[in-house]
Amino acid sequence: MSRSLAFVLNVPETPQDPEDSQEPSPYDESEVHDSFHQLIQEQSRWVAEEGLELQHRALGAGALGASGSDRQALLGPEGAPVYSTATLRILASMPSRTIGRSRGAIISQYYSRTVRLRRRAGRPQLRDVGRSARPSLRLYDLELDPAVLEEDEKQGLLVKELQGLTVAQRDHMLRGMPLSLAEKRCLRVESRPPRGKRRARGRHGLLSCCSRLRDSCILASHNLGLVLLSGLQALMPWHYALKRIGGQFGSSVLSYFLFLKTLLAFNTLLLLPLLAFIVAVQAAFPPAPSGSAPAFRGLELLTGGGCFTHTVMYYGYYSNATLNQPCASPLDGGQCTPEAGGLPYNMPLAYLFTVGVAFFITCITLVYSMSRSFGESYRVGSTSGVHAITVFCSWDYKVTQKWASRLQHDNIRTQLKELLAEGQLRQRPRRACGRLQQGAVLGLVWLLCLGTTLVCALAVYTFSELVIQSRVSAERDGALLALPLVVCLLNLGAPYLFRVLAVLERHDSPVLEVYVAICRNLILKVVILGILCYHWLGRRVGTLKDQCWEDFVGQELYRLMVMDFIFTLLDTLLGELVWRLISEKRSQRKGKPEFDIAGNVLELIYGQTLTWLGVLFSPLLPAMQIIKLLFLFYVKKTSLMANCQAPRRPWKASHMSTVFISLLCFPSFLGAAVFLCYAIWQVKPSSICGPFRTLDTMYEAGKVWVRHLEKAGPGVSWLPWIHRYLVESAFPIYLASALLLAVIYLNIQVVKGQRKVICLLKEQLSNEGEDKIFLINKLQRIYERKERSRVGRTEEAVMPPAVFTDDWDAQ
Amino acid sequence: MGNKQTVFTHEQLEAYQDCTFFTRKEIMRLFYRYQDLAPQLVPLDYTSYPDVKVPYELIGSMPELKDNPFRQRIAQVFSEDGDGHMTLDNFLDMFSVMSEMAPRDLKAYYAFKIYDFNNDDYICVWDLEQTVTKLTRGELSAEEVSLVCEKVLDEADGDHDGRLSLEDFQNMILRAPDFLSTFHIRI
């Protein structure tokens, strides 16, 4: 074109077609959309050649919905779009329409997936597997053109592909297919590898042998896994209990009990290496008893001292020599037992390594579960789809009681009303005055809470100094309980004070309230525990110079744990039972108290922190924690069923689980790990008890061993080398940190880029959708026009030609 | 755990185990639950693949389903002829998909079919209105219901065609981490 396109459309005055006067007909748009014009012409010609028969009924229905602009879908009486039969036929063969009950489409889709799987010979990445159930046209091989193949042939191809997968992958594929069970069984039977085929492969004998071996190994491990799983389910008889809790109170309360179960698993993981490598060995080779053991009085269960002191429970019992050594060199304090074939067992080294390895395993497991939970909760580029998520994902299918489901109905209704109200409120911006006022109240409440925390911390510090100065000895057992009592009282009372103060401030969202409450309680507990740690490692080590301070610290932690358990029981009794009785007497509308999920979870995390802090000084502490958690489960469950009701505010259960496990990892486990590292690296162990009594620091046991290895000979020289250049020197740590930081930064940039791409794709998607509607409507118009012209032609040949030519006048 | 049961052959149990997310013990437990629904109808011997369907009224009276507002749709989606009467295969299939081991895509697919009341492979405005009405037991006014449906379409309809396709639904489910924990029936 020599001159530039003039983007001014001439809308012709055509009184015969009133609906077209608003915008140009397709034939007028040739100046603007050249290719589109061609397409329409082609379609019309193709349709004319096919000679589609339009029914008169469809004509009537189509004519009804003919009014309306092109932007909206043509609507019939029920609100569903009404199209002519020809349009419907074309629409029915759109790729997106073939999903649904159509088995053929599902089979094609899974065929392409198994092809990809077999080619890659590995498990599909999570991001590749079926984000969309729609078979994309790219994935269609030439052989699998849906228009050509019958469903049976597609099934045959799928079966062949399934045969090429390993057994585990095939089972995984089968289970994930959205087909009915009978069809899956057919596929499974057909895709079993026929027995004769395996022997026919002569040339690839070795490969087939290896793959057969691998298959049988995988099958065996799969079966073993199933047996273990069913065994584990039999061990944990909580299936029905959890089902009842979930059924009556919903997923949010259930998340507390699931967290309890997780903590049980962590403690078991921690306890097993300790039991195997430290406790059992030392129990088999007991040291010589130093003096008579005191009689058992009931107070030992609370204080952990008395007759418990010189047992495997505490650090002081463990010997600092090599156990089971052959009688060549004299043992100090041990009997010479010439056991044939006994291995010498270096106790200090074993103690250090076992505690270190147990902590390391716990760390890895925690970080893994936290990152997995995090990955499920947060998505890149996710904008808020609150209404859609409330409508589709908020009904909890686990709920089984009538009144619980009524509560859910009420919750969802309230939530939807709140969302609608929020939407309207957002359109009206709040006044600056109100915001300032709210900010001031918020600041005041935070100041009060932090002030309370400071007061509690000072109280604990002063009391601990008082206890040191009053020189409490081991005889006055009862007085030892004073410090744990004070700590537990503060831990119980301060959160109630925080709750009272929180009534003053009014947050926009209930979730924010919960997060703020968790934050405040967490700060309180962290500060108190920090002061206690300073008290133990900083002050007690000094004052108990010629006694076994590690035993003392272990006993302190035991006392704290027991007191904590007692106070939790009291809190459950007072907080829930008594409140229910009071509120029933007053017959208020409020009824039963709500189960305080955040407070209870923080209690669990606090108890777990105490366990982790005390593992070094009392290896059997995880066993105490396990017993405590088991009791707690049943007590909390009974109290919940009898006294409480479900929380009124809806909770995002999975976000909460992520938050819980992150809290378990970051302040709790990290703090315990720091405490442990400080105790191992910096503090001088006591000189009269324990496996490290002759050393300057506990870590020296490792150094002594490395020096011993160096002297041993050139065979194991790589270990000392590793120790000198990788562990002792600081350079590898700097290098590793720098690399890690670089990797993190790169990942952040990649995520930013992905977000941008997601925005672009969303825009493109909405544009394509608009195009689709536009094209469908144009198609509909073409068919209508054709039908009208045919009707015009067939009605009467006597028709005046003026009307006929008017139809085609728009050219 | 020996083969003491006489309900299924060994191959049948293996097939069920491979095609669902249940172990042998759970499958037997589910079978007895199914049998308890209609003891006269369901035989205790399934080795000959009897063609037995438990009517919808009995399925809908199970304690796990009886207070669920979508129980009729669930039964219709998983039944063979879409009428709610379920064979043992349908029953196992239903609880397998609703168990906690089913992957997100599978659950999203069936959730879409459940919320698609008119079975036209799209969740249109009418489907949404039905869903919201059932969720709130009819306690929202008609105006509020239509407002909610409008907002849902605004948020989830990616291609702006006025209704939700399976892809729109799946994309929205991906943003909802709660879906796996709520779309779950314990049996």
Side-chain angles (χ1 to χ4, degrees):
Chain A
M1 284 196 152
S2 52
R3 56 191 171 110
S4 58
L5 288 169
F7 284 97
V8 175
L9 296 167
N10 293 324
V11 182
E13 306 278 288
T14 49
Q16 281 86 8
D17 284 326
E19 60 263 15
D20 264 357
S21 61
Q22 288 154 15
E23 62 169 29
S25 72
Y27 301 94
D28 287 335
E29 287 186 339
S30 55
E31 280 142 352
V32 187
H33 297 291
D34 215 16
S35 55
F36 187 69
H37 167 66
Q38 272 184 12
L39 255 169
I40 290 203
Q41 283 205 320
E42 264 174 20
Q43 277 282 47
S44 324
R45 235 182 292 130
W46 178 71
V47 160
E49 278 167 15
E50 287 279 354
L52 288 169
E53 301 288 336
L54 293 178
Q55 313 238 346
H56 288 284
R57 259 182 289 139
L59 167 68
L64 260 177
S67 62
S69 73
D70 267 340
R71 284 277 161 225
Q72 295 167 357
L74 307 171
L75 293 177
E78 255 197 5
V82 173
Y83 298 125
S84 63
T85 314
T87 321
L88 282 172
R89 204 171 301 182
I90 292 189
L91 285 182
S93 53
M94 275 202 305
S96 62
R97 270 296 201 140
T98 51
I99 283 298
R101 286 182 185 268
S102 159
R103 284 183 61 226
I106 299 176
I107 289 176
S108 323
Q109 176 206 343
Y110 276 87
Y111 168 76
S112 53
R113 258 194 227 175
T114 47
V115 164
R116 249 184 304 155
L117 196 61
R118 214 174 42 78
R119 281 196 198 136
R120 212 178 308 131
R123 283 201 121 179
Q125 300 280 331
L126 212 59
R127 54 173 175 271
D128 296 332
V129 170
R131 205 42 79 69
S132 155
R134 165 183 170 157
S136 99
L137 292 167
R138 272 187 301 118
L139 293 174
Y140 274 114
D141 282 3
L142 284 174
E143 317 134 30
L144 206 59
D145 190 8
V148 174
L149 288 182
E150 292 292 330
E151 196 180 285
D152 291 328
E153 294 179 52
K154 284 190 219 172
Q155 188 167 350
L157 279 166
L158 176 63
V159 161
K160 230 181 282 174
E161 283 302 326
L162 279 176
Q163 282 169 357
L165 296 175
T166 63
V167 176
Q169 284 172 336
R170 189 186 321 147
D171 282 346
H172 182 74
M173 258 301 163
L174 264 182
R175 286 196 187 112
M177 280 194 199
L179 293 170
S180 76
L181 200 56
E183 290 161 355
K184 280 196 228 187
R185 280 193 301 185
C186 288
L187 277 174
R188 175 180 173 271
V189 161
E190 285 173 25
S191 65
R192 276 257 179 83
R195 291 189 184 271
K197 216 173 181 188
R198 266 185 273 150
R199 287 194 206 110
R201 293 194 205 163
R203 219 174 348 137
H204 309 279
L206 188 66
L207 281 168
S208 76
C209 188
C210 285
S211 65
R212 239 185 303 149
L213 195 68
R214 193 184 52 163
D215 271 352
S216 54
C217 280
I218 290 178
L219 253 175
S221 59
H222 183 64
N223 286 336
L224 186 70
L226 279 175
V227 165
L228 276 177
L229 194 69
S230 49
L232 214 65
Q233 281 175 359
L235 273 179
M236 296 260 212
W238 290 344
H239 177 83
Y240 286 112
L242 290 175
K243 181 178 171 186
R244 274 183 66 202
I245 294 174
Q248 287 188 13
F249 297 95
S251 301
S252 47
V253 173
L254 192 63
S255 66
Y256 167 79
F257 290 91
L258 290 175
F259 187 65
L260 212 155
K261 238 173 90 163
T262 317
L263 280 183
L264 261 176
F266 273 121
N267 277 309
T268 320
L269 197 68
L270 188 64
L271 186 65
L272 286 174
L274 290 173
L275 267 182
F277 293 109
I278 304 184
V279 178
V281 173
Q282 189 65 61
F285 297 97
S290 54
S292 62
F296 176 77
R297 297 170 336 196
L299 209 56
E300 269 89 14
L301 287 174
L302 282 180
T303 61
C307 72
F308 282 169
T309 318
H310 297 288
T311 57
V312 271
M313 250 181 80
Y314 294 109
Y315 168 98
Y317 186 76
Y318 294 88
S319 82
N320 69 331
T322 311
L323 300 171
N324 201 20
Q325 205 165 32
C327 280
S329 55
L331 253 65
D332 41 343
Q335 296 214 354
C336 188
T337 48
E339 297 274 334
L343 288 166
Y345 196 81
N346 189 342
M347 196 56 188
L349 203 63
Y351 199 93
L352 189 67
F353 271 176
T354 312
V355 170
V357 163
F359 257 73
F360 186 68
I361 294 176
T362 312
C363 179
I364 299 276
T365 320
L366 255 181
V367 168
Y368 172 72
S369 56
M370 186 180 76
S371 61
R372 204 173 58 147
S373 176
F374 200 77
E376 277 177 18
S377 300
Y378 296 97
R379 299 271 166 191
V380 178
S382 67
T383 56
S384 66
V386 190
H387 294 83
I389 289 175
T390 310
V391 168
F392 289 121
C393 306
S394 59
W395 180 266
D396 196 350
Y397 282 66
K398 284 199 274 288
V399 169
T400 57
Q401 302 269 328
K402 201 171 185 71
W403 56 267
S405 80
R406 194 162 292 174
L407 192 67
Q408 264 208 68
H409 281 298
D410 290 339
N411 274 345
I412 294 178
R413 181 176 43 102
T414 317
Q415 212 180 344
L416 284 174
K417 281 200 170 152
E418 276 178 10
L419 282 173
L420 287 177
E422 218 176 285
Q424 286 173 357
L425 190 71
R426 210 167 279 155
Q427 290 153 10
R428 273 183 273 125
R430 240 179 307 155
R431 296 185 337 233
C433 186
R435 289 176 96 180
L436 210 67
Q437 194 180 17
Q438 212 205 13
V441 169
L442 212 70
L444 184 68
V445 173
W446 262 103
L447 232 84
L448 282 173
C449 291
L450 287 175
T452 317
T453 310
L454 212 64
V455 163
C456 293
L458 273 173
V460 171
Y461 181 71
T462 335
F463 201 78
S464 64
E465 289 294 313
L466 213 73
V467 164
I468 286 184
Q469 278 166 10
S470 67
R471 290 168 192 260
V472 172
S473 60
E475 278 100 65
R476 298 178 56 212
D477 275 347
L480 286 170
L481 290 174
L483 184 60
L485 203 74
V486 166
V487 169
C488 286
L489 269 174
L490 288 173
N491 268 331
L492 190 67
Y496 281 112
L497 185 66
F498 291 158
R499 229 192 279 183
V500 165
L501 285 173
V503 171
L504 287 175
E505 56 186 26
R506 255 169 284 115
H507 282 287
D508 285 336
S509 68
V511 185
L512 196 63
E513 269 180 43
V514 170
Y515 279 134
V516 164
I518 289 181
C519 219
R520 289 180 185 148
N521 284 330
L522 198 68
I523 294 178
L524 174 76
K525 289 187 158 67
V526 163
V527 165
I528 289 185
L529 274 179
I531 292 193
L532 282 173
C533 290
Y534 165 73
H535 167 71
W536 292 324
L537 285 186
R539 303 280 287 126
R540 277 293 178 187
V541 176
T543 54
L544 290 174
K545 265 219 170 355
D546 43 359
Q547 296 168 42
C548 202
W549 65 266
E550 291 98 346
D551 267 5
F552 185 80
V553 174
Q555 283 165 4
E556 280 270 279
L557 278 160
Y558 175 87
R559 286 191 281 267
L560 263 175
M561 267 184 65
V562 169
M563 280 282 121
D564 184 48
F565 179 55
I566 292 175
F567 271 80
T568 311
L569 288 179
L570 278 177
D571 184 24
T572 311
L573 212 64
L574 288 173
E576 291 170 7
L577 178 65
V578 174
W579 190 347
R580 175 178 77 101
L581 291 174
I582 289 178
S583 66
E584 265 181 9
K585 277 220 175 88
R586 283 204 202 156
S587 67
Q588 283 174 1
R589 273 197 75 231
K590 247 178 142 185
K592 296 181 176 177
E594 280 181 24
F595 187 75
D596 180 17
I597 302 174
N600 281 307
V601 164
L602 274 179
E603 281 292 328
L604 284 178
I605 295 179
Y606 175 73
Q608 188 60 40
T609 318
L610 290 176
T611 312
W612 279 331
L613 284 174
V615 154
L616 183 65
F617 306 113
S618 168
L620 280 184
L621 216 56
M624 307 289 143
Q625 175 76 349
I626 287 177
I627 296 173
K628 178 178 147 187
L629 285 174
L630 285 173
F631 265 119
L632 209 59
F633 182 89
Y634 289 107
V635 165
K636 283 286 176 187
K637 180 175 90 86
T638 320
S639 167
L640 177 76
M641 298 289 193
N643 300 331
C644 296
Q645 63 172 348
R648 283 172 194 281
R649 304 286 203 165
W651 272 64
K652 284 205 170 131
S654 74
H655 270 171
M656 280 288 125
S657 317
T658 313
V659 167
F660 296 161
I661 208 146
S662 317
L663 285 178
L664 190 67
C665 190
F666 278 126
S668 168
F669 183 78
L670 203 66
V674 164
F675 177 79
L676 189 83
C677 290
Y678 184 77
I680 290 185
W681 253 294
Q682 298 288 339
V683 183
K684 184 170 185 336
S686 67
S687 49
I688 61 161
C689 65
F692 304 107
R693 54 190 92 153
T694 49
L695 304 165
D696 274 337
T697 64
M698 295 189 199
Y699 182 66
E700 254 195 51
K703 281 198 223 172
V704 161
W705 182 61
V706 166
R707 261 177 261 141
H708 180 75
L709 277 180
E710 273 176 357
K711 279 187 244 149
V716 279
S717 62
W718 52 273
L719 263 172
W721 184 87
I722 288 181
H723 183 262
R724 200 180 316 143
Y725 290 111
L726 292 181
V727 177
E728 294 260 285
S729 76
F731 178 67
I733 297 181
Y734 288 144
L735 191 66
S737 316
L739 277 175
L740 205 66
L741 280 173
V743 165
I744 291 176
Y745 179 71
L746 280 173
N747 265 326
I748 292 178
Q749 294 305 313
V750 163
V751 163
K752 270 197 199 160
Q754 280 178 348
R755 225 177 251 143
K756 281 200 201 115
V757 167
I758 287 175
C759 284
L760 286 173
L761 284 175
K762 275 196 193 146
E763 257 185 59
Q764 190 179 344
L765 202 61
S766 70
N767 287 339
E768 295 294 325
E770 287 181 11
D771 280 352
K772 189 170 86 171
I773 297 277
F774 181 76
L775 287 173
I776 290 175
N777 290 333
K778 288 294 179 202
L779 203 63
Q780 177 67 11
R781 284 189 187 290
I782 289 171
Y783 287 138
E784 277 173 8
R785 194 183 303 227
K786 270 231 67 79
E787 183 52 35
R788 253 182 278 127
S789 68
R790 275 166 59 96
V791 163
R793 258 183 278 138
T794 53
E795 255 185 13
E796 206 48 76
V798 195
M799 262 260 168
V803 181
F804 180 78
T805 50
D806 270 359
D807 250 348
W808 299 95
D809 205 5
Q811 287 196 49
Chain B
M1 189 173 332
N3 294 342
K4 289 183 235 140
Q5 51 85 22
T6 51
V7 182
F8 299 111
T9 62
H10 182 69
E11 281 76 33
Q12 276 179 316
L13 259 189
E14 286 248 342
Y16 280 137
Q17 211 177 298
D18 284 339
C19 295
T20 62
F21 293 100
F22 292 126
T23 60
R24 252 190 212 118
K25 207 165 151 195
E26 286 166 335
I27 291 172
M28 291 312 299
R29 189 157 51 93
L30 276 167
F31 171 75
Y32 288 120
R33 285 297 301 271
Y34 183 70
Q35 214 259 337
D36 278 338
L37 289 175
Q40 278 83 27
L41 205 57
V42 178
L44 275 169
D45 185 2
Y46 256 77
T47 50
S48 51
Y49 299 99
D51 183 24
V52 170
K53 277 196 189 182
V54 171
Y56 163 68
E57 292 72 28
L58 293 171
I59 303 271
S61 66
M62 281 181 74
E64 286 86 358
L65 287 179
K66 74 173 165 43
D67 291 309
N68 195 322
F70 300 109
R71 60 186 175 280
Q72 193 170 16
R73 279 301 301 161
I74 296 174
Q76 281 172 357
V77 161
F78 284 102
S79 61
E80 276 191 9
D81 306 317
D83 52 6
H85 308 312
M86 300 177 82
T87 64
L88 179 66
D89 279 355
N90 300 140
F91 189 79
L92 285 173
D93 210 10
M94 173 168 76
F95 283 107
S96 170
V97 167
M98 303 295 286
S99 74
E100 60 188 342
M101 283 140 325
R104 190 186 282 262
D105 295 326
L106 190 64
K107 286 195 187 213
Y109 181 86
Y110 279 102
F112 182 79
K113 291 223 282 199
I114 287 174
Y115 293 127
D116 180 18
F117 282 79
N118 52 11
N119 286 326
D120 63 350
D121 305 334
Y122 285 102
I123 294 182
C124 58
V125 181
W126 185 78
D127 292 329
L128 278 175
E129 283 174 3
Q130 292 290 305
T131 308
V132 174
T133 314
K134 277 203 192 305
L135 269 180
T136 56
R137 267 194 327 165
E139 282 167 12
L140 283 181
S141 68
E143 194 188 308
E144 288 171 331
V145 169
S146 63
L147 211 66
V148 169
C149 297
E150 202 184 289
K151 287 221 188 278
V152 169
L153 280 176
D154 275 339
E155 288 167 0
D157 191 8
D159 52 3
H160 296 278
D161 58 353
R163 51 207 178 154
L164 299 180
S165 64
L166 181 59
E167 294 84 53
D168 294 332
F169 188 78
Q170 281 183 327
N171 280 334
M172 193 256 314
I173 288 298
L174 278 178
R175 287 189 243 143
D178 287 320
F179 177 67
L180 276 180
S181 67
T182 53
F183 198 72
H184 167 218
I185 294 182
R186 260 181 208 267
I187 180 120

